[in-house]
Amino acid sequence: MEREIKITKKVPRKGDDGYKIVSVRMKEELLEKLEGLSGKTNRSRNELINLLLESAIEIVKIED
């Protein structure tokens, strides 16, 4: 009779999902706008920040 070796899949630990935690300071007015947008779109602030940054990075023009 042949024996089996069973190996379970590794459960990713927090932080192993390709994301890094960052801290950012922002003006209260900007945070209020972000929270308003969060409420209107039913998305988290984190998700919105990522979406907005991804879009903005594509249109940045660096001037000399």
Side-chain angles (χ1 to χ4, degrees):
M1 183 168 154
E2 204 172 303
R3 293 186 139 187
E4 281 185 341
I5 298 175
K6 294 183 180 181
I7 300 173
T8 60
K9 291 183 179 180
K10 180 181 175 184
V11 177
R13 294 178 299 179
K14 195 170 188 176
D16 286 349
D17 60 357
Y19 289 87
K20 300 289 182 194
I21 297 171
V22 296
S23 176
V24 63
R25 291 175 44 147
M26 65 177 66
K27 292 183 179 182
E28 190 173 334
E29 297 83 17
L30 182 57
L31 182 57
E32 288 172 359
K33 289 180 183 179
L34 185 61
E35 288 175 343
L37 189 57
S38 176
K40 290 178 184 176
T41 61
N42 201 29
R43 293 182 182 262
S44 69
R45 290 184 309 197
N46 181 69
E47 188 176 6
L48 287 172
I49 290 168
N50 277 288
L51 288 169
L52 294 168
L53 284 173
E54 284 177 11
S55 296
I57 276 185
E58 299 299 322
I59 61 173
V60 168
K61 180 179 178 184
I62 299 173
E63 296 181 354
D64 291 327

